[in-house]
Amino acid sequence: FSTQSIKNADFIYINSTCFTSELMKKLSIQLETTAPNTTIISLSSPIPSDQFTIIDKVVKKMSWGKATIYIQIKKNSTRH
């Protein structure tokens, strides 16, 4: 995933149930390049970045069992 640009994405889905915390941190660095208001849906773990706000989380039954679904939005930048 690190070779693809995602900075122009409006919506990103990540089935991150089996991702390690290290991989989630690397992914969050790339996700921080997205525009404000980009929507991220991830399974089992939220994006570990203060640049995203969790707007909802729900537990749903999946084929492998229950998973928490996190819906996050990229915050507006306060930098000038």
Side-chain angles (χ1 to χ4, degrees), residues 11-69:
F11 179 89
I12 300 170
Y13 171 78
I14 305 165
N15 189 348
S16 53
T17 299
C18 295
F19 289 7
T20 64
S21 59
E22 293 83 18
L23 180 57
M24 287 297 289
K25 184 60 184 167
K26 288 179 183 178
L27 183 57
S28 74
I29 292 167
Q30 190 172 18
L31 291 169
E32 289 173 354
T33 68
T34 60
N37 299 313
T38 299
T39 300
I40 311 287
I41 294 181
S42 60
L43 298 185
S44 303
S45 299
I47 303 306
S49 170
D50 61 2
Q51 291 189 31
F52 294 89
T53 300
I54 297 173
I55 60 169
D56 200 6
K57 86 176 182 180
V58 295
V59 176
K60 293 289 184 180
K61 184 177 178 184
M62 304 293 179
S63 61
W64 62 87
K66 292 182 179 179
T68 303
I69 301 166

